[in-house]
Structures are given as C-alpha cells and as structure tokens.
C-alpha cells in the first residue's frame, strides 16, 4: 500500500503508511502541529477505524479494500474566504480519475461526495489551518470505495468502484492511488495557476442534480428547489418558489 510511485512533481513523493489508524486526517493534523510538514505528504492506511465525513458522519470501510488517505498541501496562494476553490479542484481531480473507469452517471454531489446515480462511492473532508487571512495548510481526507462488495444495512446507498463497473477482478489499489495522486496534482496546480473560474464551470457541469428540481429538507421541513449555482463562499444556491436562497454545508439535506 505504500510502494506506489506517482508520476507527480511533489504530491505523494513523501508517504507515511500506517497499517491501521483511527483517522488519517488526525494523524496529518499532528504532523502539521509538530511542524514536520513536507508539501504533498500523504498519510495512508489500510484500516481506518474512525474515519470522518461531512456533518460528523462516520466513514465505513473494510480493511484493505478501499482508498483511505489524507493529503497535506500548503495552499498559501488562497485567502481564507476562497476555501471552496480548493474543494472544487479536489473534486475535479477525483472525478477525472474515476471517469476513466466509470463514466456513466458519475457526478459530484455538493460539496464533494462522489456519486454513481444515487449511490455514494466516496467523499472528501478538507480541514484548513489559517495564518492570518491566508490558508497555511490543508488536510485533504479522501475515502473511496474500491473493492468492497457489501456494506452495512444502514449504508444501503453505498457503492464501490468494483460494484459500479461489475468487475469480476479486484482493482490494484496501489496503482489507483498513484493515478489519483497524478489527477489531484494536475487540478491543484491548475488552481494555483489561476484557473479557478474555469474549474468552477467544470464543477457545475458534473454537479449532482444541477439545474433540476428535486426535494430537499431543512430542519425537518421538506421543500422543492433547483440548484442554480455555487456561491464564492461555497454556499449552495437554490431557486425556491421563484427566489434564490443560500444554504451552508450543514443546513440542508438532499432527498432521494
């Protein structure tokens, strides 16, 4: 799991492999606190026992069957109020990587879950450390279901790459991690070189349920809305009853 050699400039050149750990994001945060940071460092594990997702959700992953790692980068070219630009770049990197294998019905669900049809294949948790008005470090935690064929009864909408492609053979996870690193670095460097507007346009093109009317819920209230844009702050912009409303990450839920 730690012998992959991505064809990158910096991302993944330094790898910290842990056979088992509670959370790669937590380990990456400790590295930053100890000031032992090499830009592009990856903390990877075969068995993450307490992985986290958006909204404080846990992440289910059987040992050795999926991709679970955290990436440390130094996006000091971004202001604190531009955090969602990094979210977009990471989402595009993951989408582009997976698109080689499962192009049909692959989307990104706001803010950064990976979906095939209405089933979740993976997600991202980005945690930033600020220095004044700039982002000093970002820990990008990525979990992707790869070879797992069964999930718990409470996780009925999960899907893996193997299930989505109906592959009889297991995927080589080390090979996939190398490819993912290459794709992530490509879009990260695009962002660094000032292509955030183009990236946002590409993000909207692959956004789950973009420009479609669907039901959402907020505070146990169900309503009909249409995703029309993403605000610079990362807020989801919905058209609801002819008016534009803005929603933060933990304010709204998608109904299936």
């Amino acid at each position: 799991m730690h012998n992959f050699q991505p064809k990158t400039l910096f991302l993944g050149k330094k790898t910290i492999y842990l056979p088992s750990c509670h959370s790669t994001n937590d380990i990456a945060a400790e590295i930053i606190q100890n000031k032992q940071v090499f830009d592009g460092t990856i903390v990877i594990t075969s068995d993450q026992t307490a992985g986290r997702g958006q909204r404080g959700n846990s992440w289910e992953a059987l040992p050795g069957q999926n991709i679970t790692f955290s990436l440390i980068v130094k996006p000091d070219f971004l202001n604190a109020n531009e955090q969602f630009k990094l979210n977009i770049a990471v989402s595009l990197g993951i989408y582009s990587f997976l698109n080689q294998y499962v192009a049909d019905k692959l989307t990104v669900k706001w803010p950064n879950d990976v979906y095939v049809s209405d089933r979740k294949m993976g997600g991202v948790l980005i945690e930033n450390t600020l220095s004044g008005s700039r982002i000093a470090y970002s820990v990008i935690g990525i979990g992707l279901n790869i070879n797992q064929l069964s999930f718990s009864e409470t996780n009925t909408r999960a899907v893996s790459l193997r299930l989505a492609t109906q592959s009889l053979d297991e995927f080589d996870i080390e090979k996939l991690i190398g490819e993912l690193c290459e794709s992530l670095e490509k879009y990260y460097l695009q962002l660094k070189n000032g292509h955030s507007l183009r990236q946002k346009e590409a993000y909207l093109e692959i956004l789950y349920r973009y420009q479609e009317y669907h039901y959402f819920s907020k505070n146990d209230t169900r309503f009909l809305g249409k995703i029309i844009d993403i605000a610079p702050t990362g807020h989801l912009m919905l058209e609801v009853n002819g008016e534009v409303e803005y929603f933060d990450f933990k304010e709204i839920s998608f109904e299936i």
Side-chain angles (χ1 to χ4, degrees), residues 9 22 35 39 137 139 164 168 222:
L9 296 176
H22 54 293
K35 302 186 185 301
D39 198 12
Y137 298 103
V139 174
L168 297 178
R222 187 170 183 256

Side-chain angles (χ1 to χ4, degrees), residues 24-30 32 43 52 69-73 75 86 124-129 135 137-142:
T24 56
N25 262 36
D26 288 349
I27 300 298
E30 291 173 9
I32 292 172
V43 181
R52 306 194 311 279
F69 71 74
S70 294
L71 166 66
I72 303 173
V73 291
L86 179 61
V124 180
L125 179 64
I126 301 178
E127 298 175 308
N128 298 306
T129 301
I135 301 176
Y137 298 103
S138 292
V139 174
I140 303 166
I142 296 174

Side-chain angles (χ1 to χ4, degrees), residues 72-144:
I72 303 173
V73 291
K74 300 179 181 180
D76 54 6
F77 54 90
L78 290 176
N79 288 319
N81 61 5
E82 296 178 305
Q83 295 181 29
F84 200 76
K85 290 182 179 180
L86 179 61
N87 187 103
I88 288 175
V90 171
S91 298
L92 290 174
I94 295 172
Y95 178 91
S96 179
F97 153 69
L98 288 173
N99 194 51
Q100 306 171 80
Y101 299 95
V102 54
D104 189 36
K105 298 182 180 179
L106 180 67
T107 59
V108 173
K109 176 174 169 285
W110 175 86
N112 47 28
D113 285 340
V114 181
Y115 266 54
V116 178
S117 296
D118 291 319
R119 304 180 71 184
K120 183 176 177 179
M121 182 180 288
V124 180
L125 179 64
I126 301 178
E127 298 175 308
N128 298 306
T129 301
L130 304 181
S131 177
S133 62
R134 294 277 177 171
I135 301 176
Y137 298 103
S138 292
V139 174
I140 303 166
I142 296 174
L144 294 175

Side-chain angles (χ1 to χ4, degrees), residues 59-230:
W59 179 256
E60 175 189 349
L62 292 179
Q65 296 190 20
N66 304 298
I67 291 177
T68 46
F69 71 74
S70 294
L71 166 66
I72 303 173
V73 291
K74 300 179 181 180
D76 54 6
F77 54 90
L78 290 176
N79 288 319
N81 61 5
E82 296 178 305
Q83 295 181 29
F84 200 76
K85 290 182 179 180
L86 179 61
N87 187 103
I88 288 175
V90 171
S91 298
L92 290 174
I94 295 172
Y95 178 91
S96 179
F97 153 69
L98 288 173
N99 194 51
Q100 306 171 80
Y101 299 95
V102 54
D104 189 36
K105 298 182 180 179
L106 180 67
T107 59
V108 173
K109 176 174 169 285
W110 175 86
N112 47 28
D113 285 340
V114 181
Y115 266 54
V116 178
S117 296
D118 291 319
R119 304 180 71 184
K120 183 176 177 179
M121 182 180 288
V124 180
L125 179 64
I126 301 178
E127 298 175 308
N128 298 306
T129 301
L130 304 181
S131 177
S133 62
R134 294 277 177 171
I135 301 176
Y137 298 103
S138 292
V139 174
I140 303 166
I142 296 174
L144 294 175
N145 299 326
I146 302 299
N147 289 320
Q148 190 164 332
L149 295 180
S150 62
F151 297 87
S152 66
E153 293 181 0
T154 59
N155 201 8
T156 57
R157 295 201 175 276
V159 69
S160 66
L161 182 59
R162 191 173 170 194
L163 286 171
T165 58
Q166 300 182 331
S167 174
L168 297 178
D169 300 318
E170 288 194 348
F171 287 93
D172 183 335
I173 291 182
E174 285 193 1
K175 175 178 177 289
L176 294 185
I177 292 173
E179 293 175 356
L180 177 55
C181 287
E182 292 162 16
S183 186
L184 288 169
E185 184 180 82
K186 172 185 173 181
Y187 287 93
Y188 180 81
L189 292 177
Q190 280 185 5
L191 174 62
K192 188 174 183 178
N193 290 327
H195 298 293
S196 61
L197 181 58
R198 187 175 73 186
Q199 288 193 344
K200 183 190 172 183
E201 292 171 351
Y203 178 82
L204 290 175
E205 289 177 3
I206 62 172
L207 192 61
Y208 179 69
R209 294 183 173 178
Y210 179 57
Q211 294 288 6
E212 300 174 2
Y213 280 102
H214 287 276
Y215 281 99
F216 299 84
S217 61
K218 177 184 177 182
N219 298 329
D220 297 323
T221 299
R222 187 170 183 256
F223 63 92
L224 188 66
K226 180 174 71 173
I227 300 173
I228 59 171
D229 204 350
I230 305 293

